[in-house]
Amino acid sequence: MNIGEIAKRAGVARSTVSYVISGKRTVSDEIRRRVLAVIEELDYRPNAAARALKEGRTRTLGLVIPPASQRLTDMQLGFVASVVEAAARADLDVLLSPSGGDHDRSFERVITGRRVDGVILMEIRLEDDRVARLRQAGLPFVTIGHTADADDGWWIDVDFATLIARCVRHLADLGHRHLAFVNRSAEMVAAGYGPGHRALAGFAAAVAELGLAGVDLCCPDDAAGAEACVRQLLDTHAELTGIVTINEAALPGIQRALEHTGRVVPRDFSVTGVAGRHWAEDFRPPLTAADVPALEMGDQAVRLLLERIAAPETPPRNTLHTPPISLRASTGPAPANRRR
């Protein structure tokens, strides 16, 4: 069975059947009902199109990811994998679309092309034009991360401010008094990347509250750039005995910089932060960290989006995760406090 036979039985042109299936053009209700009746009668299912049309949906979710030119972090890949798996369990497809820079047209096609029933948006900035555009379009969406207005929207996020503050307190309890915060790249922070700003605020507040000396810097999201960045940091701040970070992609560079300067972790220096479990366990020695529940968050984002699609008038809902800090081997007493 093909579109030509459906068109013949319904008494319409092949293009009309195509328009009914794709939704690219409007057809009259009478013709649409006639075509759908033939589709149902013949059980025409080239894919999920027939069922989707009968439900008035595409049965596809859009997942907007960072630009394809950027290497996704382990945490981001976890979000992508969990969204795809959760969608598959609901018998839904996922359309991946990069955004930012030259990819804005792809994002716009997702919104205007009637390709998806709703969108999950990653890597949220404090002021995010993509969020404003989705609201304007009236397309249901959920974000992994949230804008400056925490009460306005459907989102899943990690409480970076609280978790980084807990990391600082953990090091302070071990006697550390001179700490550095290694943030994401300068470009991301300048663009208003939410986790970077909230984590920095948590670090600054905890350092001030505990009477510690703290320095913060942005590092590239890659090993080589981070190594150069941290080596310079250690050269100019020899008094440092600990680093707190949310830049999981920088962890291999941090490790190399410490090795290059002869600092043994955790004997001479401690490292902790917020990271995906894979990065934490691959650090040497394994990283004391708040493990981001990326798989759980992606699954929650899909369920939240399906709720929003089914009941668009429901008031906004959101979830802020504060996972416990997993104590591994990368943190220990400050060097001066060790027994000789």
Side-chain angles (χ1 to χ4, degrees), residues 112-278:
T112 61
R114 299 183 64 182
R115 298 181 176 189
V116 299
D117 298 318
V119 169
I120 295 173
L121 192 62
M122 292 172 52
E123 298 296 285
I124 306 303
R125 298 183 284 273
L126 296 177
E127 302 293 334
D128 202 308
D129 292 341
R130 300 169 303 169
V131 171
R133 180 69 184 93
L134 285 166
R135 284 177 178 155
Q136 180 189 45
L139 187 65
F141 70 97
V142 169
T143 61
I144 299 178
H146 66 283
T147 62
D149 189 353
D151 296 326
D152 187 15
W154 296 63
W155 51 263
I156 312 287
D157 205 355
V158 171
D159 191 347
F160 285 95
T162 295
L163 293 177
I164 288 299
R166 287 179 182 174
C167 290
V168 170
R169 292 189 183 96
H170 169 62
L171 293 182
D173 289 343
L174 292 171
H176 295 269
R177 292 295 176 264
H178 299 273
L179 303 177
F181 171 59
V182 174
N183 208 334
R184 296 290 299 273
S185 71
E187 293 80 10
M188 291 195 69
V189 174
Y193 178 60
H197 285 263
R198 296 186 179 101
L200 176 57
F203 177 79
V207 164
E209 177 189 343
L210 298 170
L212 309 180
V215 60
D216 64 89
L217 74 162
C218 294
C219 273
D221 296 340
D222 64 83
E227 180 180 1
C229 181
V230 174
R231 283 175 62 174
Q232 182 177 7
L233 169 70
L234 297 174
D235 286 342
T236 55
H237 295 276
E239 73 280 4
L240 292 173
T241 61
I243 281 177
V244 182
T245 186
I246 62 165
N247 193 336
E248 61 179 21
L251 285 170
I254 293 173
Q255 182 173 333
R256 277 187 251 168
L258 292 170
E259 291 172 352
H260 178 84
T261 57
R263 290 170 170 86
V264 177
V265 177
R267 187 193 70 191
D268 308 314
F269 205 93
S270 290
V271 184
T272 183
V274 182
R277 182 182 296 272
H278 168 73

Side-chain angles (χ1 to χ4, degrees), residues 7-19:
K8 184 176 179 180
R9 290 209 182 196
V12 298
R14 290 172 58 98
S15 59
T16 301
V17 175
S18 179
Y19 295 150

Side-chain angles (χ1 to χ4, degrees), residues 1 25 46 54 67 92 104-105 109 138 174 189 238 260 304 310 323:
M1 185 57 57
R25 291 191 185 180
K54 283 181 267 185
L92 301 172
D104 285 341
R105 285 178 296 177
R109 284 195 297 270
L174 292 171
V189 174
H260 178 84
L304 201 60

